[in-house]
Amino acid sequence: MSSDGGLRYRLTRWLLGKLVVPRVAGFESLSGHETVYVLQNRSVTDTALLSLACAQAALPDPLSSLPLGDVTEAHRYFFLNRATGWQQRQTMRSHSEFMRRLLANPAAMSSDALIVPVCILWSRAPAREHSFWRLLVSEAWAVTSRFKRLLNILMNRRGISLQFGDPLPLCQAADPELPDGVRLRRLARLMRVRLRNERIAALGPDLSHRRTLVEQIAGARAVQSVITRQAAGDVGKAAALRRRAHGIARTIASDMSYPTIRVLERLLTWFWTRIYDGVEITGMENVTAVAASSTLVYVPCHRSHLDYLLLSYLLFHRNLMLPHIAAGDNLNIPVLGSVLRRGGAFFMRRRFAEDDLYRTVFSEYLYQVYRRGYSVEYFPEGGRSRTGRLLPPRTGLLRMTLTDQARGLPKGITFVPVYISYEKLVEAASYLDELRGAAKRGESMSDVFRGLRLIRQNFGKVQVRFGQPLRLTDWLLEHNRQQGEAALAQQLAVELMERINAAVHVNAVNLVALVLLATPRLAIEASVLNEQIALHSALMRRAGYDVVEWHNEDSLQHVAGLQLVELETQDFGSVVSAGAVAAILLTWYRNNVAHTLSLPSLIACLLVNRRRPLAPDSLASVVDAIHPYLATELALPVHSPSLDSVLAHMCELGIVLRTAEGALEPPREDTADHQRLHLLAQVVMPSLERFYIVLGLLNREDQPLNRRSLQERSRAVAKRMSRLYGLNAPEFFDAGLFNQFVDQMLKRDALREDMDGNLRPAESTRQIARAAGTVIDPDFLRAVRRG
């Protein structure tokens, strides 16, 4: 760089450092490597911004020297496009001399240096048709001019972002088998493709004007076919149906607005910093690996209204395209609905299977969103979970997505499961009322103003984990498409729910809830709780789950500071306890993560009260009979992990013993290890007790039961048992869980329905019921048998 150029560069970098706060992403995998940066166009401003980003990410500066064998290059960056002609237009007609030297250097073949494409976005606003001002300041798809950059520096200095793209090892680029010219052209082409993919992943396609999209949807062939069929030749009715189709499309369609998104981003930054100690993200590499080549569909668990705000906020800050979010029409209320729509929400009725026109318009809208390359977000559960566990999936949107994939899309669908872990739930008060029997309250603007009071409270930390993506084309190759769309959608839904749960993060409140709710009087010595948490954490980590580090006193103080438990000091030591009301809320946090201990807890249930050793084969047969029902309820793969490996780990931890003959037995009752095994058993005990209620009623000979009467009787018994035995779990008598259990029994031929509609248990079911008698508390068994 010449002296004049060097002075201009230093001045530009100094000014940018004072004015611009770029968002930097994609640098995590580059640490520890020599890097060579690739920029699209020759620009002092871009180079200076790259220098600032490298300093922020602790990467080598682009103007720092690059040692390569016997040669040391003066800098480590080059441009793909060169300015030519009197107008200094950026073209691809010549290649950088630095790039030529880099590939010709004999040391390149053995170098571990990475060639990194760097995508700089001076604005995150995609272009919109018929919007001159947006075209003036948006990144669009043309080269960003100096005037646009000046505008963005002055007006959008916090909206400038820089993305380090997918790197290419220098040794691969410097293939000696290829002629020099071919190597140059190949590297330039690869870098252009990767830079373009990064821009697509960040900006998405140009936004169509909403009116244009509505016209296109209402005029689609499928929509017109429904109108023609329903009008049946009546011209007036056809006109009315066309007007209704336009109205439906307008009610559904989002109207994403970058100014609104910028305002929301600033408000949410303020809001998150007021109520949370931090928001942590893991698994983002799973998203960036597929973002450029796929149409992404984010499928998060749904625990709070903050889920979609939080996810969009994080994607925006990581330079990824904002998704269009499916929202229930209960949120389409004055003011709030408009803001959400401009933030990317599209609204849908809860149920519309019987409205053929609405269903067709909505399906066409979703297809157009996919076809244009937008990412989408929807919740497979359909609504927020009030119990803390994943709800049975709704398959309506998944069925439409399968249909749209079959129609053909420029880029295939890839689902991204997302798990969101809250240490303290913002909606805790309303959930508590609903868990105690209150009716669900409708949404209103007053909820927004009431929510402002939240800034006075501390809600701990939030962990957002992106799970293993599912490429729909690959998944379809492994599954039988002939079984019908409904069955295929159900299988897809089940696998997505399993992947969401596999991405779980177990936080400090989850760990405390698992132990505290296992105690008979909701109180435990702090030292015993710490030991039990260490046991649970070890079992979870061995199974591959992500668990927070527990630091005894500090972690206890943190949970107590969230006002979810009480910590008191007695003469004999510290005691952790919870009141009756807090215990109901703690069930929500326990249910978040109960699946992580399902198999060890079931083993503990089967062994803890044994008087005689149990042969491993006998244990395996009972586990094989019971665990699939637990797996279905807790959204786990039915094929459980190796029983032998889990047993071996439990033996290492000292909570299961092996006799000289190889049989299994619990520790002595007067030992701390036996207490730990007992507390572990309580994690799935409520599920086993609920199962036994159904089995006990089915195995009574006095009166046959059909499905409806079984559900009513089971729920009534469960409600009575919950009250009499102090079971602090409102979902214990949830009708949906009883239905799910009966469905699985019918599916597995453990039950059959006779000609009169009565349910008849198989002999295997009677054996399971008898085996349960050795696990469940005798008083509970007697109370169930009394019906």
Side-chain angles (χ1 to χ4, degrees):
M1 190 175 286
S2 67
S3 59
D4 289 343
L7 178 61
R8 185 172 58 151
Y9 169 80
R10 288 193 295 273
L11 179 61
T12 302
R13 190 186 188 283
W14 179 81
L15 285 172
L16 287 177
K18 297 294 184 183
L19 296 174
V20 173
V21 185
R23 291 197 183 91
V24 183
F27 59 86
E28 294 83 0
S29 63
L30 305 178
S31 178
H33 291 276
E34 290 287 359
T35 48
V36 177
Y37 307 109
V38 184
L39 292 167
Q40 182 82 40
N41 302 301
R42 187 178 185 88
S43 165
V44 172
T45 314
D46 284 359
T47 310
L49 190 67
L50 172 59
S51 177
L52 291 173
C54 287
Q56 185 176 328
L59 293 175
D61 189 85
L63 264 64
S64 64
S65 60
L66 173 69
L68 195 61
D70 297 331
V71 177
T72 299
E73 296 288 351
H75 57 83
R76 54 177 70 222
Y77 69 95
F78 63 88
F79 306 104
L80 285 180
N81 298 340
R82 314 281 291 175
T84 60
W86 67 274
Q87 290 183 313
Q88 292 291 288
R89 292 186 181 276
Q90 300 284 349
T91 71
M92 308 175 190
R93 293 179 183 174
S94 62
H95 298 295
S96 161
E97 287 301 320
F98 174 76
M99 183 167 67
R100 291 178 187 274
R101 294 196 307 272
L102 197 65
L103 295 181
N105 191 319
M109 282 300 298
S110 58
S111 172
D112 64 349
L114 300 175
I115 304 176
V116 185
V118 181
C119 179
I120 297 178
L121 302 173
W122 290 87
S123 170
R124 292 291 304 279
R128 180 188 290 274
E129 297 173 9
H130 314 308
S131 176
F132 173 76
W133 176 250
R134 184 67 56 81
L135 287 171
L136 198 61
V137 297
S138 71
E139 186 69 23
W141 288 101
V143 175
T144 306
S145 69
R146 293 175 181 173
F147 178 57
K148 282 187 180 180
R149 293 181 188 186
L150 178 60
L151 281 178
N152 279 295
I153 289 172
L154 296 176
M155 301 175 59
N156 189 38
R157 63 194 187 94
R158 293 182 180 273
I160 299 169
S161 59
L162 185 146
Q163 177 76 34
F164 291 96
D166 189 18
L168 176 71
L170 175 59
C171 59
Q172 290 183 20
D175 186 349
E177 301 293 326
L178 298 174
D180 291 348
V182 175
R183 280 187 307 196
L184 280 168
R185 290 193 297 274
R186 188 183 72 159
L187 177 58
R189 184 175 65 253
L190 283 172
M191 291 298 104
R192 288 190 189 100
V193 169
R194 294 190 184 192
L195 283 168
R196 178 176 175 81
N197 287 342
E198 292 297 336
R199 290 169 65 83
I200 292 172
L203 295 177
D206 292 354
L207 291 172
S208 293
H209 195 282
R210 186 163 177 261
R211 184 167 56 251
T212 306
L213 181 60
V214 166
E215 291 291 340
Q216 186 171 358
I217 292 167
R221 184 182 303 171
V223 175
Q224 291 301 311
S225 177
V226 172
I227 291 172
T228 301
R229 187 175 67 252
Q230 291 187 357
D234 187 327
V235 177
K237 187 174 182 181
L241 287 169
R242 280 192 289 272
R243 287 194 298 272
R244 182 167 181 257
H246 279 83
I248 291 170
R250 283 193 296 271
T251 302
I252 293 170
S254 70
D255 189 20
M256 196 174 282
S257 161
Y258 188 74
T260 301
I261 290 166
R262 290 289 296 137
V263 171
L264 285 174
E265 185 261 342
R266 293 181 182 182
L267 285 174
L268 289 173
T269 299
W270 170 81
F271 187 63
W272 303 143
T273 55
R274 291 297 187 280
I275 70 171
Y276 291 130
D277 292 335
V279 179
E280 299 177 0
I281 314 165
T282 53
M284 182 59 76
E285 66 278 2
N286 293 334
V287 184
T288 55
V290 297
S293 60
S294 303
T295 297
L296 298 185
V297 178
Y298 297 95
V299 280
C301 60
H302 201 9
R303 304 279 163 78
S304 166
H305 273 317
L306 297 184
D307 294 341
Y308 38 84
L309 296 174
L310 190 60
L311 183 55
S312 291
Y313 177 87
L314 294 176
L315 293 174
F316 186 80
H317 272 256
R318 292 303 179 104
N319 297 339
L320 285 168
M321 185 196 319
L322 285 177
H324 289 237
I325 308 162
D329 60 0
N330 61 313
L331 293 176
N332 192 15
I333 57 179
V335 183
L336 179 62
S338 177
V339 171
L340 294 177
R341 193 186 297 276
R342 290 178 175 275
F346 62 94
F347 294 99
M348 58 184 292
R349 295 181 192 167
R350 292 292 183 182
R351 290 178 178 82
F352 50 82
E354 298 178 359
D355 189 336
D356 201 16
L357 183 58
Y358 187 97
R359 185 179 68 250
T360 306
V361 171
F362 185 89
S363 179
E364 185 64 28
Y365 173 78
L366 190 61
Y367 174 70
Q368 291 298 332
V369 169
Y370 287 145
R371 189 181 67 81
R372 292 161 188 246
Y374 301 121
S375 57
V376 173
E377 175 190 338
Y378 54 73
F379 300 96
E381 297 167 272
R384 289 173 294 158
S385 171
R386 266 68 171 177
T387 64
R389 67 179 73 215
L390 289 182
L391 300 174
R394 305 282 183 87
T395 59
L397 286 174
L398 289 174
R399 291 178 67 174
M400 290 183 183
T401 302
L402 286 168
T403 300
D404 294 341
Q405 176 85 359
R407 285 178 68 177
L409 297 170
K411 293 191 297 182
I413 298 287
T414 294
F415 291 98
V416 181
V418 186
Y419 188 95
I420 304 175
S421 170
Y422 295 97
E423 283 191 332
K424 186 176 180 181
L425 195 65
V426 166
E427 294 96 335
S430 63
Y431 279 14
L432 184 59
D433 290 340
E434 291 173 29
L435 288 171
R436 295 165 72 185
K440 181 183 174 182
R441 194 172 58 205
E443 315 294 345
S444 69
M445 270 304 294
S446 61
D447 293 336
V448 177
F449 296 112
R450 279 197 296 269
L452 294 176
R453 294 178 298 181
L454 298 174
I455 62 174
R456 304 172 188 170
Q457 301 181 42
N458 175 22
F459 290 87
K461 293 182 179 180
V462 181
Q463 178 82 232
V464 179
R465 288 178 55 82
F466 295 92
Q468 190 63 36
L470 184 151
R471 288 185 183 270
L472 187 53
T473 50
D474 296 342
W475 186 86
L476 288 171
L477 290 174
E478 300 170 1
H479 291 78
N480 180 14
R481 302 191 195 190
Q482 305 303 317
Q483 60 187 312
E485 189 179 78
L488 201 61
Q490 183 62 36
Q491 288 185 19
L492 177 59
V494 168
E495 181 153 350
L496 290 175
M497 301 304 274
E498 291 170 0
R499 293 195 183 206
I500 291 171
N501 257 350
V504 65
H505 169 75
V506 184
N507 62 43
V509 178
N510 298 141
L511 290 172
V512 171
L514 282 168
V515 179
L516 196 55
L517 292 175
T519 61
R521 291 177 175 78
L522 303 174
I524 189 171
E525 293 178 61
S527 58
V528 177
L529 181 137
N530 289 330
E531 291 173 3
Q532 192 67 25
I533 285 177
L535 172 73
H536 287 176
S537 299
L539 290 166
M540 292 170 181
R541 290 194 179 99
R542 180 65 67 91
Y545 294 112
D546 182 70
V547 187
V548 71
E549 290 293 335
W550 181 262
H551 299 292
N552 292 351
E553 182 65 25
D554 290 342
S555 297
L556 269 178
Q557 290 289 350
H558 172 69
V559 177
L562 297 174
Q563 300 179 338
L564 293 168
V565 299
E566 297 177 7
L567 186 60
E568 55 187 274
T569 302
Q570 300 290 343
D571 295 340
F572 54 84
S574 298
V575 174
V576 184
S577 63
V581 174
I584 295 175
L585 190 56
L586 284 174
T587 63
W588 191 92
Y589 299 99
R590 178 195 63 189
N591 292 344
N592 287 175
V593 299
H595 66 281
T596 61
L597 291 173
S598 65
L599 185 55
S601 181
L602 177 58
I603 294 170
C605 286
L606 297 172
L607 291 177
V608 69
N609 294 323
R610 295 285 304 182
R611 294 290 180 263
R612 289 182 292 182
L614 181 65
D617 289 346
S618 299
L619 176 69
S621 65
V622 180
V623 169
D624 289 343
I626 297 176
H627 194 261
Y629 297 105
L630 280 174
T632 300
E633 182 176 301
L634 299 175
L636 287 167
V638 172
H639 302 293
S640 61
S642 170
L643 178 62
D644 290 340
S645 64
V646 176
L647 273 173
H649 189 213
M650 294 175 75
C651 290
E652 288 175 23
L653 295 169
I655 56 174
V656 173
L657 306 178
R658 285 190 185 271
T659 66
E661 294 78 20
L664 305 166
E665 61 181 3
R668 292 198 330 267
E669 289 189 12
D670 59 348
T671 63
D673 286 333
H674 188 277
Q675 183 185 20
R676 295 198 297 161
L677 187 67
H678 172 78
L679 291 172
L680 175 61
Q682 304 313 303
V683 175
V684 299
M685 186 61 77
S687 294
L688 297 184
E689 290 172 340
R690 190 169 50 252
F691 294 168
Y692 184 78
I693 289 173
V694 175
L695 297 174
L697 291 173
L698 283 170
N699 284 302
R700 290 181 61 170
E701 303 290 345
D702 53 348
Q703 53 182 345
L705 297 172
N706 59 31
R707 189 180 182 113
R708 182 174 179 179
S709 59
L710 176 62
Q711 177 187 317
E712 291 173 352
R713 292 280 300 279
S714 298
R715 193 162 185 268
V717 171
K719 204 164 188 176
R720 178 165 59 87
M721 303 302 290
S722 178
R723 180 68 184 87
L724 293 176
Y725 288 86
L727 302 173
N728 295 293
E731 83 278 2
F732 187 74
F733 45 86
D734 182 5
L737 293 177
F738 285 111
N739 273 335
Q740 189 180 61
F741 181 48
V742 172
D743 284 341
Q744 288 301 309
M745 293 182 72
L746 288 166
K747 181 180 178 181
R748 298 177 183 281
D749 296 324
L751 275 183
R752 62 179 179 82
E753 205 165 5
D754 65 19
M755 299 292 292
D756 298 323
N758 294 322
L759 299 172
R760 303 293 182 182
E763 181 57 32
S764 60
T765 306
R766 300 181 191 278
Q767 293 174 356
I768 294 172
R770 286 193 291 270
T774 64
V775 174
I776 296 172
D777 180 76
D779 290 338
F780 189 96
L781 292 175
R782 283 191 290 271
V784 171
R785 287 165 186 158
R786 289 197 300 269

